[in-house]
Amino acid sequence: MARSTPVKKALRSLTWLVILMAILAGLNTAASVLAGSSKDDTDKWYQGASWVPELALDLQGGTQLTLAAQNTEGDSVTRQQLDQAVEIIRQRINATGVSESQINTQGTNNIVVSIPGKPDQATIDRIEAAARLTFRPVLYTQAATNSSVGDSGSASASPTPYSPPASLPATPSTKPTNASDLAWATPALQDLYTNYDCAAPDDVSTAPDDEPLVTCDQDGAGKYILGPVEVSGANISNATSGLGTDSQGTSTGQWVVNLTFDGTGTKDFGTVTNRLVKLQQPQNQFAIVLDGSVISAPTTNVAIPNGKAEISGNFTADSAKALADQLKYGALPINFQVQSNENISATLGTAQLVGGLVAGLIGLILVIIYSLIQYRALAFVTVLSLGVAAALTYLVIAIMSWRVDYRLSLAGVAGLIVAIGITADSFIVYFERIRDELRDGRGLESAVEAGWKRALRTILASDSINFLAAVVLYVLAVSDVKGFAFTLLLTTLIDVVVVVLFTHPMMQLIARSRFFGEGHRFSGLDPAALGAVYRGRAQFRAPVVDGKRQRSAGEAQRRQTIAERKAQQASGQDGTTPDGKDD
């Protein structure tokens, strides 16, 4: 029963590997079938699914947009504003950093956006949109079809924007004391609010920050009178979604959006929430306005002086993430006018892709040749492991192409080629540890288990260094370097999976075969050829001094530890007297 334990473990590991690959293949197959049969479902999770990985700009070409920056306040655009706009646009269309899109400045006020392939209209609209994010206090709000709190009258059914009569006062009768003061709601503003039609709104995306605003939410279900802007979206340093927690740190099971402000935003947000928390509904609401439309109007429950706010409500995981993304990437400091929209050809093309793949094939062949020379029949484990690693990598890349818009560039191909060396290095470490145990006089099954314990630490240490290097590159770099780093990170993780779930289990199984277990001279695990000239620590037997075995004995002696060498000298088995002098 004890002898079958490694076999059971091996079969269990291989079963998990098969399940993992079946899940990945099944997911991609199902998505590809659904995408092929539903061409118009552009908002579905399987949109664009295919078995063919998408290519980046350098290999496929794409679309190039040239945007002219325009300051919303009429001033000249500063370099700092332009750089901030570049970063926000990059996050909007390439939040994961692996689509290989390129966003650069051109001259003093232009931004050039290059996107691989043919982007959908939603992506182009997202780039071209002004997308200015602000926070305004709510003065009045109601459903879009109800009557107003102002002058009597019914909501206008006209499809054209409504303008209040010129006879109505448009200036507050008394000077408002703060942005929540109802004095902002002048007769003209209340008349506009009464007759405002969310189906035919005014262009409020460029409304002045220091004036009140009549607008609707993004769904057109509710309309608002909002006070002047009090906090700019540019002061949001981060926004994330997740499950909320209570005061004891226990999860509430409700999805929330967490906001973090910078120094200026923390101060302004603290001042505003300290005022709003004392007011009645709806004046205690703080509207989040994107391009003039309200995307959320949460109620202020407590004052927030530390710049860390939590927005709760009837969120799902998707809606919470969508709001977090809007808050994080929605605050552009400037507007844009599209100067050009044109197709661009691949900067490198198919020839370079083929060249990269040929280079990878040559590297793979060299690894196999080395394995055959060094490890004889054991090389088939190397070949199979590389095949499993390649299959897993292809499945993951194919899925990421349509799930996270991963694009394979020539730099990514280079990362895949480097992965061959990383994977081969893990095999070599493991095989050499097994050989060391055979030299110590262990049987093959025992050597496989003991060698695995030693090899796993080394493999994990090596892959951890590769992983950290890839993470640093991914965080600090952009464009092609980020794509290379992501590919390196991915293949490093796959290397660990393959070694743990395939290579080691295969060695456990073949160790019980007669060919490998008896140390056939072509197995690569022949104890005599490896110089197994002693049994147990520091217990040597005299080697046969002829040809190859003499060289093996010398190799075994060179591999001794200091303690083993001293013990051998003490017993006089190395041709010296116990005092270390030659006989």
Side-chain angles (χ1 to χ4, degrees):
M1 183 65 68
R3 291 174 59 84
S4 65
T5 300
V7 175
K8 289 182 178 179
K9 291 180 178 178
L11 294 176
R12 186 162 54 245
S13 297
L14 291 173
T15 299
W16 279 114
L17 178 63
V18 171
I19 291 174
L20 174 61
M21 297 184 70
I23 290 174
L24 293 176
L27 174 63
N28 204 57
T29 300
S32 299
V33 170
L34 290 172
S37 60
S38 305
K39 299 296 185 181
D40 297 331
D41 290 343
T42 56
D43 59 342
K44 300 298 184 180
W45 64 270
Y46 49 78
Q47 177 188 356
S50 170
W51 275 98
V52 180
E54 298 288 349
L55 301 180
L57 274 169
D58 56 351
L59 301 176
Q60 182 185 19
T63 301
Q64 186 177 81
L65 300 174
T66 302
L67 310 175
Q70 299 174 333
N71 194 295
T72 56
E73 297 178 357
D75 300 328
S76 60
V77 177
T78 66
R79 185 67 187 184
Q80 183 180 6
Q81 287 177 318
L82 206 62
D83 291 341
Q84 183 183 358
V86 167
E87 184 60 29
I88 291 173
I89 293 175
R90 178 177 290 117
Q91 293 289 354
R92 285 184 187 174
I93 65 175
N94 191 18
T96 60
V98 294
S99 73
E100 300 289 346
S101 300
Q102 296 179 2
I103 302 94
N104 303 296
T105 59
Q106 183 184 75
T108 58
N109 70 332
N110 284 351
I111 293 178
V112 179
V113 181
S114 301
I115 308 171
K118 186 177 181 180
D120 56 29
Q121 189 59 44
T123 300
I124 296 177
D125 292 342
R126 191 161 62 246
I127 297 170
E128 296 177 354
R132 187 163 178 271
L133 189 73
T134 57
F135 291 77
R136 292 172 177 262
V138 175
L139 303 181
Y140 297 104
T141 182
Q142 66 175 26
T145 56
N146 292 344
S147 59
S148 168
V149 295
D151 294 343
S152 62
S154 59
S156 174
S158 173
T160 59
Y162 176 80
S163 296
S167 59
L168 294 176
T171 304
S173 57
T174 59
K175 184 178 181 179
T177 56
N178 55 57
S180 296
D181 196 328
L182 296 181
W184 288 108
T186 63
L189 196 69
Q190 291 194 37
D191 181 71
L192 173 62
Y193 176 63
T194 301
N195 298 284
Y196 194 82
D197 186 356
C198 292
D202 293 320
D203 182 11
V204 294
S205 61
T206 57
D209 288 352
D210 57 353
E211 296 181 9
L213 174 68
V214 175
T215 188
C216 296
D217 57 25
Q218 290 184 321
D219 297 331
K223 57 182 178 179
Y224 300 81
I225 297 181
L226 305 177
V229 172
E230 295 201 278
V231 180
S232 170
N235 297 128
I236 296 176
S237 61
N238 195 21
T240 60
S241 61
L243 293 174
T245 57
D246 56 24
S247 57
Q248 284 74 38
T250 304
S251 174
T252 61
Q254 301 295 319
W255 285 93
V256 299
V257 176
N258 298 299
L259 283 179
T260 303
F261 291 90
D262 60 15
T264 301
T266 297
K267 180 180 178 181
D268 294 342
F269 196 73
T271 300
V272 175
T273 55
N274 186 59
R275 182 185 74 242
L276 296 184
V277 74
K278 303 172 184 177
L279 302 177
Q280 300 296 316
Q281 193 80 11
Q283 290 176 262
N284 61 351
Q285 292 179 248
F286 205 12
I288 305 170
V289 184
L290 180 63
D291 286 347
S293 298
V294 176
I295 60 176
S296 182
T299 300
T300 306
N301 295 323
V302 294
I304 304 173
N306 61 358
K308 296 182 178 180
E310 179 183 281
I311 303 175
S312 59
N314 296 321
F315 288 120
T316 63
D318 291 339
S319 63
K321 183 180 184 303
L323 177 56
D325 288 344
Q326 286 179 308
L327 294 173
K328 187 175 182 179
Y329 306 133
L332 271 177
I334 47 184
N335 294 329
F336 292 102
Q337 180 180 358
V338 179
Q339 299 292 310
S340 66
N341 183 339
E342 57 188 4
N343 295 327
I344 56 175
S345 59
T347 56
L348 294 177
T350 306
Q352 281 72 18
L353 174 60
V354 172
L357 295 177
V358 169
L361 180 61
I362 293 174
L364 179 61
I365 292 174
L366 291 176
V367 169
I368 294 174
I369 292 175
Y370 170 82
S371 298
L372 287 170
I373 295 174
Q374 182 72 10
Y375 299 113
R376 310 284 179 91
L378 196 60
F380 96 95
V381 178
T382 300
V383 175
L384 290 177
S385 298
L386 287 171
V388 172
L392 275 174
T393 302
Y394 187 87
L395 286 171
V396 174
I397 287 178
I399 292 173
M400 289 195 306
S401 289
W402 53 269
R403 282 303 296 165
V404 297
D405 199 23
Y406 174 85
R407 298 276 176 159
L408 187 62
S409 64
L410 196 60
V413 173
L416 297 178
I417 295 173
V418 171
I420 297 175
I422 294 175
T423 305
D425 179 63
S426 297
F427 302 154
I428 292 172
V429 169
Y430 184 25
F431 294 162
E432 288 301 324
R433 290 292 183 267
I434 294 175
R435 287 180 156 194
D436 286 344
E437 296 299 330
L438 290 174
R439 291 186 184 98
D440 279 351
R442 290 181 182 271
L444 181 56
E445 291 185 56
S446 176
V448 166
E449 297 304 320
W452 173 245
K453 293 178 180 179
R454 297 173 59 192
L456 183 59
R457 292 193 296 268
T458 305
I459 292 171
L460 291 179
S462 175
D463 283 345
S464 295
I465 293 174
N466 290 328
F467 184 85
L468 290 175
V471 170
V472 171
L473 279 176
Y474 181 81
V475 171
L476 299 181
V478 295
S479 192
D480 292 348
V481 179
K482 188 181 284 286
F484 169 80
F486 186 85
T487 305
L488 182 61
L489 187 153
L490 173 66
T491 51
T492 300
L493 293 176
I494 290 177
D495 173 56
V496 176
V497 172
V498 171
V499 170
V500 173
L501 295 183
F502 184 80
T503 308
H504 176 49
M506 285 297 296
M507 290 303 302
Q508 288 177 308
L509 294 178
I510 69 173
R512 295 177 60 83
S513 68
R514 182 175 179 180
F515 180 81
F516 287 95
E518 294 183 358
H520 191 282
R521 63 193 184 96
F522 290 120
S523 68
L525 297 172
D526 180 8
L530 296 174
V533 295
Y534 58 92
R535 295 292 184 267
R537 296 289 180 182
Q539 297 298 315
F540 286 79
R541 60 177 173 82
V544 179
V545 185
D546 62 349
K548 187 175 181 179
R549 295 197 177 190
Q550 182 179 19
R551 293 192 299 271
S552 298
E555 181 182 359
Q557 288 182 337
R558 287 192 298 272
R559 290 176 177 270
Q560 296 176 56
T561 65
I562 295 175
E564 290 172 343
R565 192 173 294 113
K566 288 183 177 181
Q568 184 182 9
Q569 290 174 355
S571 64
Q573 293 182 11
D574 64 343
T576 64
T577 60
D579 60 1
K581 296 180 181 180
D582 293 338
D583 290 340

